[in-house]
Amino acid sequence: MSLSLPLDAQPADPALDGIIKLAVMAVGGQGGGVLTNWIEGLARSEGYHCQATSVAGVAQRTGATIYYIEMAPGTVAAPVFSLAPSAGDVDIIIAAEMMEAGRAIMRGFVTPDRTTLIASSHRMLAVSEKTVPGDGMASSEEVKAAAELAAHKLVLADMDAAALRVGSVISASLFGALAGSEALPFPREAFEEAIRAGGKGVEASLRAFAAGYELAKNGEPEKAAPLRPAKAEIVAPSGPKGSRDAYSSLEARIASLPEPCREMARAGLQKVVDFQDCAYGGDYLDRLEALAAKDSVDRHFKLTREAAKYIANAMAYDDVIRVADLKTRPQRFRRIEAEMKLADGNLLQLTDYLHPRAEEIIGLLPATLGVKLDADPVWRARIDRWFNRGRRIRSDSLRGFLMLYVLGGLRGWRLKTLRHRMEQAHLDDWLKMVSGYLPDRYGMAVEILKCRRLIKGYSDTHARGLTKFDKVLAGARLVEGRDDGPDWVARLREAALKDEKGADLDGALKTVESFAGAG
Amino acid sequence: MAERSFKAEVEHLRKGTGDTFTGEGILAITKALLENGVGYVGGYQGAPISHLMDVLADAEDLMGELGIRFEANASEAAAAAMLAASVHYPIRGAVTFKGSVGVNVASDALANLASSGVNGGALVIVGEDYGEGSSIMQERSYAFAMKSQFWLLDPRPNLTSIVKSVGDGFALSEASNTPVMLMVRIRSCHVTGSFETSDNVPPPLSVRDALSSPMRDFKRVVLPPMSYAHEHDKIDNRWPAAETFILENQLNERFGPDEGKVGIVCLGGIYNSVIRALQRLGLADISGNTSVPLYVLNVTYPLVKSDLLDFCDGKEAVLMVEEGQPEFIEQQLGAMLYKEGRSTRLEGKGTFPRAGEYTGQIMLDGIDAFIRQHAPDLLPGKVLAPNAPKPELPDLSQTVPIRPPGFCTGCPERPIFASLKMVEQDLGQHQITGDIGCHLFACLPPFEIGGSTMGYGLGPASNAAFDGGGEKRAISILGDGGFWHNGLSSSIGNMVFNKSDSVAIIVDNYYSAATGGQDIPSSRAKNKSKSTNNPITKALEGAGVKWIRQIDRTYDVTKMRATIREALTTDYDGPKVIVASSECMLNRQRREKPLRNKAISGGERVEVPRFGVDQDVCTGDHACIRLSGCPSLSLKKLDDPLRDDPVAHIDQSCVGCGNCGEVADAAILCPSFFEAKVVHNPGGLESWLAGFRTKLISWLQTRRAGRRLTFNAEGV
């Protein structure tokens, strides 16, 4: 039987403070194993005891994964290390992605009393973020705010970009950041020696190491403020003089719009003129000015701003002509060459994946003929047979380019087409609904404008967008008389953007019907 | 062919007496086998011991020199059955597979092996895939040791202890004529460390030589009445022999003071976590010297009653630290104490949660609670009254998305499931079962295909209730690994025999891809010691399947979709099997990328494909992602005030498999996708022609630009 001992008879072993506990939180495939090997090699070469573990297996297939390392000075006799990190008991966390940093904080591995958090601020989106029809991206800002509170010391920078810039991968820049953070009691040279001992891609890794080291020491340089608005004001479009003059007079009309809307109106005007021509741009401004006339300063010109955005999007719809036009522009070729890092002497072969359906072909026909053929099942089937198949077009070849070039040149024809007539009718109905709410139900008008966001995509996706748009507008009519009507329209719209099939929207509509339908 | 090559590390396996080995747990185990005169080894891949199979395969030459036979067994059952060689012959044998599913598959052979008993040491190295990182149901192999009565080792997770336990296991097996299972947890397989090596020992009797003088003894055969005798032999002779061996060789360890009013009993495998908790409570030093008596079960079955009761003697309370459920050891220990009329209080489950992994925090909380209740005077003041409250941190649980594993970039299975999803969009939802393998990721978003997985090779078998057909046909998925493991007989044979009116899709990615690329009979690679290139379709024909469709490029989504559609709608009412073949992209890239880079720097003409999205054409609906989920197909926010939603974007990790373009075409999504092939080192004529084309195209573009307004920003 042991005797009763005084409370402080068991002071913690001071050597325990010598154990360094380090976890790497990564996404499978990011090279967490390589990083772990370097750290382990480093610790051993510096005379430390070191133990590393990982959970290999399916986790390496793009899932969240974790590597764990413990080390202690070689003077300690046979230390016993743990094989897994514990909440509140980690000295260094290396997170190879922003949300993995968030996961480390969530799991309690980052604590203000001791943890150095070295994290890359870049994002690798999870599937759940990407599949949302709207914007489902998680907030890096929230994680950053939490990291600032949770970490004893925080090193946060885009380590992925830093590595890519010098032709390497993130494991090397993170290793550099670990060195730069000075969380380990080893000199920079020892880190670099560990990379050399690894023997693979040494030079590129050392470059990324240096970049990461630099980021940990001095942080990321402040990003220059975007130049875009200023530039857009100064740089006039190039082109034939007649068009340039016509455009200047359109620009003059923008100057008479309320100041808070001008930037958006200018972007909108450029979009529709680019889509068609200056006359079409004039139509755009006509529509916009009609709404602006009913707007006021005490509403902060919200209506005009939204109208500038969504009328432009509605007028510059996605038809075959626009797609072909965009695909044959020199800017596109230049962008792709840059994206593919085309070096001197390399060639680029470009294959576009197109799949026109009967609807697209009929939409290109003159309105009256188009309506007729569209109503005739024999003709529809015939056109479908002729055109409806997947086409791989080599747009870098003369044949392929010419085909798209000719299609893209049909802009003069566009205003006569069936598709244009349909788009105009839809646009007019929508704007009529918006105007109907003015001046008394200003909030409703703004929200109905914003619903245009629901219409996007091509073929079935486009049709689904239209259906959602119609449903939300039908829901809007149910609540148009209520004070919280605009809020409900916003809620319906958000729901419609959440999932593909519209289950969330249908649920929200049911709620609306339950209180508004009866009344 | 394996995903990871151990060729370099395997050279360390030649180290001898006086050397130190530094490396991973699985390599240490292999070295220990060689040092202990093993005569034959085998196994079946699966996390966490897949890499052990890879090490064994890479060490085949070395083993050949020593006269050791290596067999890549067809399944865990086949591996366990191989240990039959040790029943009659005095040859040490070791096989490895994953627990608990591998043990389930092998249970028939293990039960018979245990009943027969062994003459040579028989070791089953089982990777217990439990807790974080586990890909299977949470169960324990322990139950099998109890029911079949083979012994279970669970050594402390450091290389020296693991290596020692291999030798102990063989010796224990021989001393008690009983097969022994050596359990290593997922982290111990990959834990790194060092141990002192000794010379490799060739087997005293090799399996080749044994064939020259066959041995048999009908008393070993599991048939009545011998099987009745086996049961008595287990209890009357083998068990006591095992207990004696364990005691005499001190396989279980005690740490800390001899006396104390409390004590802790733990399994060897979780010793380090127990010590960490004690360290954090101020009850152990950095080297594990503890002030609480500790009994470490390196042998978790059988329990040596006399020794355990001796440990409990004089203690007011004992804590049993046993992860997982049921709490087999705690129950046995409780019965021992009760039957002996002891007053020692037994704590375990209750102090610890009944289910789930014992993470660091749970271990700390559990031991802390035990000590506080039964021996608070042991705790230092700092722990008793912590001075600083824990800081409040913002809740990120609504922010951070879950990130389960999924298909790799360019995975050939993605187009199969994209096609299946499209067919379901046309024909409605179907009854679908999955199988084991990467293809099970199809259960997750964005595909959400398949609702059950019953076991390896059992995908089609688990749809058997629906074999009679109906308005819609049932669909099942089977991997090539599962097909050869068990699927050919249990699933395909079952379909043929029962005239199943359903559809099976066999995902053939050229080898056992999910476990790391080990060869199987249908592998396309040439393997000098194994027979490969045996087509699955031939096996299907042989088994009696009449409706077979072979697809040689799964990325052809249009064809894939048409074939699945045909299988679901054809008049033929027998089993319909589609073999969808394309190589695992992860391994393919590993192999081809270095070769390609070499060819480029060597001046050869090389085409490197990659896909892209025209950001002005993309409308930001992400329908393409809902039919893909490719890691390289992501989102990008445009610097355009008119755009609300991010557009699709393909990053530089794209391998150019073409799935996104094919899907966009087949599902008629949108015209945004393009393939950009960069031609390195093009030929002279080719360059000249391209230059000519570029000139003409530029002329046309300039011509058009001259007739319209061009804004500075692209595609406004």
Side-chain angles (χ1 to χ4, degrees):
Chain A
M1 293 300 255
S2 65
L3 295 167
S4 206
L5 298 165
L7 282 183
D8 55 355
Q10 300 271 339
D13 178 6
L16 280 169
D17 294 335
I19 302 186
I20 299 171
K21 300 159 187 167
L22 186 158
V24 179
M25 311 273 291
V27 179
Q30 278 193 306
V34 175
L35 177 57
T36 305
N37 287 345
W38 280 335
I39 298 172
E40 214 186 334
L42 165 70
R44 292 224 170 90
S45 72
E46 290 292 295
Y48 268 58
H49 298 284
C50 184
Q51 172 188 288
T53 52
S54 60
V55 180
V58 288
Q60 65 194 294
R61 271 125 189 138
T62 70
T65 184
I66 188 164
Y67 299 81
Y68 187 59
I69 302 167
E70 291 201 1
M71 57 183 90
T75 47
V76 174
V80 178
F81 292 134
S82 174
L83 279 75
S86 293
D89 194 30
V90 185
D91 299 296
I92 305 164
I93 286 280
I94 300 177
E97 198 265 356
M98 195 67 187
M99 287 304 135
E100 294 316 309
R103 204 179 311 283
I105 297 167
M106 246 169 72
R107 295 184 62 176
F109 295 152
V110 185
T111 43
D113 57 325
R114 63 195 296 183
T115 314
T116 298
L117 171 62
I118 299 162
S120 179
S121 58
H122 82 290
R123 286 303 327 278
M124 286 173 76
L125 300 181
V127 170
S128 60
E129 296 175 86
K130 298 195 284 189
T131 52
V132 178
D135 183 359
M137 284 158 83
S139 161
S140 291
E141 286 308 310
E142 278 178 44
V143 174
K144 187 176 175 217
E148 278 161 0
L149 284 175
H152 178 64
K153 181 178 176 186
L154 176 65
V155 174
L156 181 67
D158 190 339
M159 300 292 171
D160 193 51
L164 283 178
R165 266 198 296 275
V166 294
S168 186
V169 286
I170 189 167
S171 41
S173 51
L174 286 171
F175 193 50
L178 176 63
S181 74
E182 295 176 16
L184 289 180
F186 311 131
R188 175 175 178 161
E189 297 70 40
F191 282 77
E192 291 172 325
E193 206 41 55
I195 292 181
R196 286 195 193 95
K200 268 187 197 163
V202 172
E203 286 314 310
S205 295
L206 285 174
R207 285 196 300 272
F209 174 88
Y213 187 90
E214 188 56 32
L215 283 172
K217 283 277 178 218
N218 300 321
E220 266 172 335
E222 289 286 316
K223 273 195 191 132
L227 295 165
R228 198 186 151 88
K231 207 166 148 193
E233 264 173 70
I234 300 158
V235 180
S238 58
K241 183 163 186 325
S243 304
R244 273 187 286 146
D245 292 344
Y247 187 75
S248 308
S249 56
L250 293 177
E251 276 227 307
R253 285 169 69 181
I254 285 181
S256 60
L257 286 170
E259 206 284 322
C261 321
R262 280 180 215 154
E263 192 196 329
M264 192 66 86
R266 191 169 291 110
L269 178 66
Q270 287 189 0
K271 185 165 183 164
V272 292
V273 171
D274 186 75
F275 175 77
Q276 185 61 27
D277 52 26
C278 285
Y280 200 61
D283 291 350
Y284 167 71
L285 290 179
D286 291 346
R287 289 190 170 101
L288 186 57
E289 284 159 353
L291 285 175
K294 298 177 190 170
D295 210 350
S296 70
V297 66
D298 31 306
R299 308 273 197 180
H300 309 291
F301 298 107
K302 251 197 290 190
L303 181 81
T304 316
R305 255 182 74 87
E306 299 302 338
K309 179 175 181 178
Y310 290 109
I311 293 176
N313 286 342
M315 288 180 73
Y317 51 88
D318 298 289
D319 64 353
V320 178
I321 303 170
R322 175 167 190 262
V323 170
D325 181 14
L326 288 172
K327 289 215 179 240
T328 47
R329 292 188 180 191
Q331 298 96 317
R332 178 197 185 218
F333 284 73
R334 283 203 294 274
R335 191 195 71 228
I336 294 174
E337 282 169 10
E339 214 174 284
M340 300 299 152
K341 300 201 170 74
L342 201 72
D344 274 348
N346 291 352
L347 298 181
L348 187 71
Q349 297 179 353
L350 209 54
T351 309
D352 276 299
Y353 280 59
L354 307 175
H355 193 140
R357 303 170 306 155
E359 284 90 330
E360 272 84 46
I361 304 303
I362 293 173
L364 265 183
L365 297 174
T368 36
L369 178 63
V371 170
K372 223 171 17 207
L373 295 190
D374 197 35
D376 183 343
V378 179
W379 264 104
R380 267 190 77 102
R382 198 170 286 155
I383 294 172
D384 203 57
R385 206 166 54 241
W386 289 342
F387 291 99
N388 186 350
R389 78 180 72 103
R391 285 157 205 278
R392 311 281 154 85
I393 296 181
R394 275 288 296 275
S395 12
D396 63 316
S397 76
L398 281 185
R399 201 182 125 92
F401 181 84
L402 270 175
M403 203 166 97
L404 291 173
Y405 184 78
V406 169
L407 267 175
L410 291 178
R411 292 198 303 168
W413 172 261
R414 176 185 271 145
L415 302 186
K416 302 187 187 75
T417 62
L418 173 62
R419 174 74 190 268
H420 185 70
R421 187 205 269 186
M422 287 159 65
E423 291 289 341
Q424 287 293 302
H426 192 267
L427 174 68
D428 289 341
D429 287 349
W430 168 56
L431 290 181
K432 207 181 282 169
M433 184 168 175
V434 171
S435 315
Y437 287 123
L438 294 171
D440 304 334
R441 308 216 49 77
Y442 184 89
M444 283 297 289
V446 172
E447 291 305 324
I448 298 298
L449 276 173
K450 285 182 169 176
C451 288
R452 179 74 211 183
R453 181 180 173 189
L454 296 174
I455 303 178
K456 50 184 169 180
Y458 302 79
S459 62
D460 287 354
T461 315
H462 184 253
R464 205 164 35 239
L466 276 174
T467 312
K468 283 182 181 170
F469 177 81
D470 291 343
K471 276 187 183 174
V472 172
L473 261 52
R477 290 202 182 87
L478 291 178
V479 294
E480 60 190 6
R482 297 169 60 101
D483 285 348
D484 59 357
D487 299 339
W488 277 105
V489 179
R491 245 169 261 162
L492 288 174
R493 191 178 55 243
E494 289 306 317
L497 283 166
K498 274 218 175 94
D499 73 323
E500 181 183 20
K501 296 198 184 85
D504 286 20
L505 172 59
D506 289 342
L509 274 173
K510 279 232 168 69
T511 315
V512 168
E513 280 161 15
S514 68
F515 63 74
Chain B
M1 186 46 71
E3 184 174 295
R4 192 173 152 195
S5 167
F6 289 90
K7 284 274 182 220
E9 287 95 334
V10 157
E11 282 310 302
H12 298 301
L13 299 181
R14 293 182 186 275
K15 285 186 173 175
T17 307
D19 289 334
T20 302
F21 173 98
T22 301
E24 225 172 311
I26 45 172
L27 280 147
I29 290 172
T30 312
K31 176 69 176 124
L33 290 173
L34 302 180
E35 291 177 0
N36 280 285
V38 72
Y40 61 97
V41 293
Y44 193 83
Q45 58 272 1
I49 54 78
S50 287
H51 288 162
L52 180 50
M53 283 303 290
D54 298 339
V55 172
L56 293 175
D58 284 341
E60 209 174 340
D61 289 345
L62 171 58
M63 287 193 285
E65 290 166 27
L66 292 166
I68 303 167
R69 168 73 187 170
F70 166 65
E71 187 99 347
N73 300 105
S75 71
E76 295 88 348
M82 184 166 74
L83 291 173
S86 298
V87 170
H88 298 289
Y89 300 93
I91 306 177
R92 288 182 166 182
V95 297
T96 183
F97 41 78
K98 78 181 282 171
S100 55
V101 291
V103 181
N104 293 346
V105 173
S107 58
D108 199 4
L110 288 174
N112 280 290
L113 180 73
S115 188
S116 296
V118 294
N119 191 6
L123 198 62
V124 180
I125 300 159
V126 58
E128 186 106 328
D129 199 349
Y130 181 85
E132 183 181 15
S134 164
S135 52
I136 51 165
M137 75 296 264
Q138 303 291 277
E139 287 192 352
R140 301 177 65 190
S141 304
Y142 198 94
F144 284 89
M146 292 175 81
K147 83 164 179 68
S148 300
Q149 297 222 347
F150 49 79
W151 316 138
L152 195 56
L153 306 186
D154 187 1
R156 288 194 286 130
N158 63 72
L159 263 47
T160 307
S161 294
I162 293 171
V163 165
K164 178 175 177 292
S165 71
V166 171
D168 289 343
F170 278 128
L172 172 64
S173 176
E174 281 155 5
S176 61
N177 300 111
T178 303
V180 169
M181 188 177 279
L182 168 64
M183 202 175 103
V184 273
R185 287 137 205 273
I186 190 154
R187 288 189 189 87
S188 350
C189 288
H190 300 291
V191 75
T192 57
S194 305
F195 69 96
E196 305 299 316
T197 56
S198 54
D199 291 338
N200 293 335
V201 177
L205 173 65
S206 75
V207 282
R208 284 188 80 86
D209 293 340
L211 275 178
S212 314
S213 44
M215 297 166 79
R216 64 176 68 112
D217 175 1
F218 76 88
K219 284 187 189 140
R220 291 285 189 203
V221 181
V222 185
L223 263 182
M226 287 78 79
S227 46
Y228 308 150
H230 294 164
E231 192 194 351
H232 284 282
D233 191 35
K234 281 177 179 177
I235 299 300
D236 301 337
N237 303 315
R238 299 187 207 165
W239 189 322
E243 285 200 5
T244 307
F245 184 90
I246 294 164
L247 271 179
E248 281 179 357
N249 295 281
Q250 295 181 351
L251 296 193
N252 295 324
E253 297 168 283
R254 292 199 199 187
F255 299 94
D258 292 336
E259 300 294 322
K261 67 174 182 175
V262 295
I264 296 175
V265 182
C266 75
L267 289 73
I270 48 177
Y271 162 82
N272 288 38
S273 331
V274 171
I275 289 295
R276 173 50 47 84
L278 291 172
Q279 284 172 341
R280 291 176 75 185
L281 290 170
L283 298 173
D285 71 8
I286 190 167
S287 305
N289 298 308
T290 157
S291 44
V292 180
L294 191 61
Y295 185 103
V296 179
L297 292 161
N298 291 313
V299 185
T300 53
Y301 191 82
L303 299 176
V304 183
K305 186 175 167 183
S306 55
D307 202 33
L308 272 167
L309 287 176
D310 178 60
F311 177 75
C312 296
D313 202 25
K315 294 196 171 56
E316 289 172 22
V318 165
L319 176 69
M320 181 67 227
V321 188
E322 182 185 10
E323 194 179 35
Q325 50 78 39
E327 66 282 40
F328 297 111
I329 300 175
E330 189 181 330
Q331 288 175 20
Q332 294 173 69
L333 187 54
M336 285 175 197
L337 291 167
Y338 181 77
K339 284 192 171 175
E340 291 295 319
R342 297 294 179 86
S343 61
T344 304
R345 190 172 163 80
L346 177 63
E347 302 278 4
K349 297 288 178 187
T351 304
F352 283 106
R354 297 191 61 82
E357 188 177 8
Y358 285 4
T359 61
Q361 190 63 44
I362 286 174
M363 193 65 87
L364 181 69
D365 292 346
I367 293 179
D368 184 41
F370 172 75
I371 302 281
R372 255 171 222 277
Q373 189 181 346
H374 296 284
D377 44 338
L378 284 177
L379 290 173
K382 198 175 90 181
V383 177
L384 272 179
N387 41 21
K390 281 187 181 165
E392 283 288 317
L393 292 177
D395 176 22
L396 291 177
S397 59
Q398 299 302 309
T399 309
V400 177
I402 62 158
R403 203 190 296 271
F407 296 123
C408 306
T409 301
C411 176
E413 304 189 14
R414 182 172 288 113
I416 302 174
F417 294 104
S419 306
L420 193 46
K421 191 169 175 181
M422 279 187 251
V423 171
E424 281 208 301
Q425 281 171 354
D426 288 352
L427 302 181
Q429 289 234 331
H430 284 66
Q431 157 62 27
I432 303 178
T433 57
D435 202 282
I436 311 289
C438 292
H439 44 88
L440 199 54
F441 297 146
C443 292
L444 304 167
F447 296 115
E448 296 174 71
I449 282 171
S452 66
T453 170
M454 287 293 111
Y456 206 28
L458 296 179
S462 46
N463 254 347
F466 307 107
D467 272 356
E471 197 186 315
K472 285 190 213 162
R473 286 174 177 145
I475 305 169
S476 53
I477 316 291
L478 180 61
D480 49 352
F483 176 81
W484 294 111
H485 177 274
N486 186 19
L488 179 56
S489 56
S490 295
S491 279
I492 302 299
N494 190 74
M495 282 177 90
V496 172
F497 189 61
N498 288 291
K499 296 192 167 182
S500 164
D501 183 13
S502 55
V503 178
I505 300 173
I506 299 180
V507 180
D508 165 23
N509 32 33
Y510 288 25
Y511 31 74
S512 178
T515 53
Q518 295 80 11
D519 277 329
I520 48 175
S522 56
S523 287
R524 312 298 167 101
K526 288 202 168 54
N527 183 321
K528 69 177 159 79
S529 67
K530 303 281 173 284
S531 164
T532 51
N533 289 288
N534 303 294
I536 291 174
T537 47
K538 273 197 169 177
L540 291 170
E541 282 166 22
V545 181
K546 302 279 186 294
W547 195 104
I548 302 169
R549 298 288 181 275
Q550 167 71 42
I551 291 180
D552 289 321
R553 206 177 70 86
T554 59
Y555 302 102
D556 188 343
V557 171
T558 307
K559 185 175 175 191
M560 192 74 236
R561 183 174 63 164
T563 310
I564 296 173
R565 224 192 138 91
E566 188 199 347
L568 289 172
T569 53
T570 174
D571 292 336
Y572 178 71
D573 62 358
K576 291 152 282 283
V577 183
I578 301 169
V579 183
S581 312
S582 274
E583 188 182 359
C584 163
M585 189 57 90
L586 187 67
N587 277 346
R588 189 175 145 191
Q589 289 292 322
R590 272 191 191 135
R591 189 183 64 238
E592 288 185 349
K593 229 171 162 180
L595 295 177
R596 194 175 71 192
N597 290 342
K598 212 172 135 195
I600 291 175
S601 49
E604 281 176 55
R605 182 186 185 281
V606 178
E607 291 181 1
V608 182
R610 213 179 105 184
F611 276 71
V613 172
D614 278 313
Q615 56 189 41
D616 334 319
V617 180
C618 174
T619 59
D621 171 73
H622 319 147
C624 52
I625 291 171
R626 293 191 289 275
L627 281 169
S628 159
C630 178
S632 73
L633 178 58
S634 193
L635 301 180
K636 179 167 128 182
K637 281 196 169 135
L638 290 183
D639 185 20
D640 178 350
L642 298 172
R643 307 286 290 256
D644 295 305
D645 295 318
V647 295
H649 172 71
I650 297 176
D651 66 26
Q652 84 298 330
S653 67
C654 170
V655 295
C657 76
N659 176 67
C660 49
E662 295 267 358
V663 164
D665 170 3
I668 322 184
L669 292 182
C670 83
S672 320
F673 285 93
F674 61 84
E675 183 194 35
K677 249 187 212 155
V678 175
V679 183
H680 295 265
N681 309 314
L685 179 65
E686 190 183 10
S687 296
W688 183 83
L689 277 175
F692 174 70
R693 273 200 304 270
T694 309
K695 263 188 204 139
L696 266 177
I697 287 175
S698 302
W699 180 77
L700 286 169
Q701 286 171 332
T702 314
R703 177 179 169 274
R704 179 162 288 165
R707 299 174 178 201
R708 70 190 294 175
L709 288 178
T710 303
F711 294 94
N712 200 45
E714 181 199 351
V716 274

